[in-house]
Amino acid sequence: SSMASPRSIGSPSQAKHPQVYQIDFTAVASGKRIASTKRRVRWRFGFANPEALAQGLTGTDCRGEEHDVTIVWSITSGKQNKLHIS
């Protein structure tokens, strides 16, 4: 069975993947009594503004939709305590 790759679907302008950029990444030990028993990982990233890219703009002029993902979990039990996506 052959499947079309995402690049071959639709018009050439629609087939392009959005440009993704990293804003920040942190991973810290955050247990209440023993820090090493809990981890907090945070990713901040964004998708570049396609209109700004098309105009030839660069750097911060191309910032678009941005997201923040934070996961907190217990290392000892494996239990995930919190998942926050914005």
Side-chain angles (χ1 to χ4, degrees):
S1 68
S2 79
M3 294 182 65
S5 70
R7 294 183 189 277
S8 65
I9 298 172
S11 71
S13 64
Q14 292 173 334
K16 292 182 181 177
H17 295 283
Q19 296 288 324
V20 180
Y21 57 92
Q22 179 178 329
I23 300 169
D24 187 34
F25 170 80
T26 57
V28 296
S30 63
K32 193 184 301 183
R33 292 193 174 106
I34 302 173
S36 63
T37 62
K38 193 177 283 186
R39 294 283 191 274
R40 179 182 308 267
V41 180
R42 181 181 184 202
W43 294 271
R44 292 181 62 217
F45 64 95
F47 296 101
N49 180 332
E51 290 82 21
L53 291 174
Q55 293 174 12
L57 299 175
T58 60
T60 58
D61 293 332
C62 295
R63 288 180 83 157
E65 182 179 311
E66 296 183 352
H67 300 275
D68 187 323
V69 178
T70 303
I71 299 172
V72 179
W73 81 94
S74 168
I75 300 301
T76 54
S77 72
K79 181 179 173 184
Q80 186 178 35
N81 297 332
K82 201 184 297 182
L83 171 64
H84 174 73
I85 303 172
S86 62

